[in-house]
Amino acid sequence: MRSIWNGSISFGLVSIPVKLMNATENHTISFRQIHLADGGRIRYRKVCELDEEEIPASETVKAYEDADGTVIPVTDEDLASLPLPTAKTIEIEGFVPASAIDPLQLDSAYYLSANGVPAAKPYALLREALRRSGKVAVAKYALRGRERLGMLRVVDDVIAMHGLLWPDEIRAPEDVAPDAGVKVRDAELDLADALMNTLGDADLDTLHDEYREAIEELVAAKASGEPVAEEEAGEPEGKVIDLMAALESSVRAAEGSKGDGGKADGKDADVHPIKGRTPRSGGSGGGGTKKTGKAGPEKKAPSGKTPAKRTTAKKTAAKETAAKKTTAKKTAAKRTTAKKTTSGTRKRTSA
């Protein structure tokens, strides 16, 4: 990595020569402005608004505009004459727990490398001291013509430095929070907890810039003369009508995306229906019946019986009734025959 600053870390009376390197890189795709008609580059030139002439860089200086509109020139020589103790030194001011640094203050990130063999030992000393204390160092340093605030911490076996915004550069969140009268019910919190458990931990290594990839594909397609695929605009998001129904639907969707029955990190996310809530017809997650076209909802058969079972039961009953009638007729015929035989016997005996 290329160093962007050379100096030293001042750790009490210990001086540690270091090189400063960017710890991050920007993958944003850059565009140029062109004249659409002929493809010519559009360039910006520095033109004096008084004589309307282009001014070279050698005749351009900084200036401060006062509140009343007065312009005060400030040259590079003026700035160089100012006392700036941190111009080549990262001055450690003290040590604090990492939790004492508000993430709102975090700015650019850098790696600090030991500059030369003699710097290796004091560098390792500061690194291990930070590691064992569990604290971070707060320091001042100068970069690109201004003094800045920084935080030194250990990343693997390297000392990293984060640029920090000065405390007075952080705005107070006035009039940002919602109305204090908003109440959140326990049932809603339970569903939010279930959704968080179902989604599980975020795997930061798998996250990537999908918009940048889409731009790369667009540029490649235009360069090769291929037609550019257009995606249909999706439904507008962010419109929540029923918070509970939205939470329930989100939990079920997250469970389905996990593909393991809704388990995340060994925990089950259970969704229980809320008592006293009336399901909305067609609502997502509310237990209602979704309508399709003009057809009404499908009627369910009574519990334990289906149309096929009812038909079989009717046929069986009809067979049993017919069998009973046949048996009754045969029994009646036998009785009639028996009566006739007995009567004839009695007549012969009396004769």
Side-chain angles (χ1 to χ4, degrees), residues 281-300:
S281 178
S284 62
T289 302
K290 186 175 181 181
K291 296 182 179 180
T292 304
K294 297 182 179 180
E298 182 182 353
K299 294 182 180 180
K300 295 184 178 179

Side-chain angles (χ1 to χ4, degrees), residues 139-190:
K140 287 182 179 181
Y141 67 103
L143 188 65
R144 299 186 181 94
R146 56 166 291 197
E147 189 170 57
R148 303 166 188 261
L149 190 64
M151 175 189 75
L152 276 63
R153 69 185 184 98
V154 178
V155 177
D156 295 333
D157 288 331
V158 176
I159 297 176
M161 183 172 71
H162 295 268
L164 299 178
L165 299 175
W166 297 97
D168 60 359
E169 292 179 316
I170 305 298
R171 293 178 175 178
E174 297 176 353
D175 303 324
V176 177
D179 186 3
V182 176
K183 300 296 182 183
V184 179
R185 295 181 296 167
D186 289 340
E188 294 167 339
L189 281 175
D190 292 341

Side-chain angles (χ1 to χ4, degrees), residues 170 196 199 238 305 343:
I170 305 298
M196 292 171 65
L199 291 175
K305 294 183 178 180
S343 177

